[in-house]
Each structure stands twice: as structure tokens, then as C-alpha cells.
Amino acid sequence: MLQAVLGLDAVRIAAAFLTSPAAMSQRLVRAKARIRNAALAFEAPEAGALGSRCSDVLSAIYAAYGTGWDAIAGADEGVRGLAAEAVYLARLTVDLMPEQAEPKGLLALILYCEARRNARRDASGAFVPLAEQDAARWSRSLIMEAEGLLVAASRAIAFGRFQTEAAIQSVHVQQAITGVKNVRALIQLYDYLAMNHPSLGAMVSRAVVHAEGLGPDVALELLDELPAERVVAYQPYWVARAHVLHTLGRFDEARAAQQVAVGLTEDPAVRSYLLQRFA
């Protein structure tokens, strides 16, 4: 879907799924061979077949959105336009499957992120992390739409990955309104993700939340449990590890992790922010 429909190359698809370009290229070749050998055609499925395909479609839309969201300054127009295309596709999926909860969860998740787009950089173009963003620059209309979608999805009593991730974003929104961070809710939501939908990003974020709620020792144990071969080139892992080690007073190890994190950071604005923070 990402290559044939949205036109992404193997390098960008590999980045979205946290794997190597070589491994993703092989996956794409095998997939094309299977499609060719089975003489499959591009055609609209019957309504009854949509449910079984929903999870893969939602994952592809989210991967496309993430590619557009993470596009650094100077990226080509096609890549930067992927975020808007993903919003359109997420809305279309909700319209096609109004009885399903997870499409609403995905659209809510994307809209929470879109609502903060203008607050991600300051007037000079410097990166602004979520905790330091000016909530007045967030889109109130998109947040209200996302909240409504999340409430509507909850009525299905079928809690899934995207609803959980959207609920996490809702907690962050509530913090901006109330001034209180509900760490307990974040821990519960990330624990649910870790148990039922354990992506690498969720596991690293879970450790960060546990550091705040249960202490850095617990967080470091969670980070140490992650497979070394999966985190070696995953920048958020090294940022989280540097933070936890610094909190524990293990400064030499923290500095080593900081150097890896900076080296893995492609966005110049984010790299500058990390260098200032680490300094």
C-alpha cells in the first residue's frame, strides 16, 4: 500500500517500520511476487471484506502520516504532503466503516497531532517539545473533533491500539487545560499498549512515563529489556536512556547515550534542541 498507492520508496517505508532499507526492499520484492503469482488485481473489496483488512489499512495510513509529520525542513513536497493525504484517508476510512471503533481512534490520534502542528516550532524555527508548547497555538477545533471521535469510539467497547494512543494524546491535552499531568493514566495506557500492541515506540515512551511515576530505576529496567539490535539506531531510545541515566546520576553513561542520540538525529532543529538540553 505504501509503495504502490502512496508512492513511498523502500528507504522511507523502512524508516516507518523501524527496519533496514535492505530488509524492507526484500519484503517489497516478495510481496510483489506473491501478488503477481496469485494474479491479484487492484479492486474495491466487498463490504464484508473490509473488517479483515482494516488493521493493515490503518497501519499503512498511520505510517504515511508519520512520514509526513517527521519530514524535516527541505523535504520534497510529496513527502510533506503525506500528512494531509493521511488525514484525508483516515476520514475516508471512518466514512466507509462508521460502525468500527479503530478508524475513529486513528483519526482522533492524527487530529490531536495535527492540532499541535503550528506549535512545534517557534518564530525562529527552533524545535519546541510538547511539554513546552504554547497551548494557545493549538487548534481548538481539531482537538474538539478528536475528543468527540474518541468518545464515539469508546461506545463500541472494543479498545484497540489507535484508541489507546489517542487516549494518551487526550491526557496531554487535559494537562494543558488543567495544569495537572495525569501520570497514573499514562502509565495504565502505556502498560495496556505494552501488553497488547507492543511497538518499539510505545515501549520507549512507557519507560519515560514510568521514570516520572515510578522512578528512574524502573524505567532503566524497562529500557534494558528491549532487544539491543532493535534500539541500536532508534533515536528516541537513546534520548530516553540519556535522560534516565542522568536522573540516576550516572553522568558518564548519560553523556555516551547523549552522543548517540545526537548522532541519530536528522532534523537540524531537533539536534540543536538536544545539544542545548544536554549541555
Side-chain angles (χ1 to χ4, degrees), residues 162-185:
F162 293 113
Q163 291 175 78
T164 308
E165 295 195 31
I168 289 170
Q169 296 302 317
S170 181
V171 172
H172 290 307
V173 168
Q174 295 305 317
Q175 179 187 357
I177 296 173
T178 65
V180 178
K181 187 173 184 178
N182 193 339
V183 178
R184 180 179 178 184

Side-chain angles (χ1 to χ4, degrees), residues 6 39 42 51 57-58 66 83 106 133 151 153 171 184 201 208 231 248 257 267:
L6 292 174
F42 282 99
V57 170
L58 296 181
L106 173 63
Q133 288 177 9
V151 170
V171 172
R184 180 179 178 184
V208 174
V231 302
L248 288 169
D267 189 325

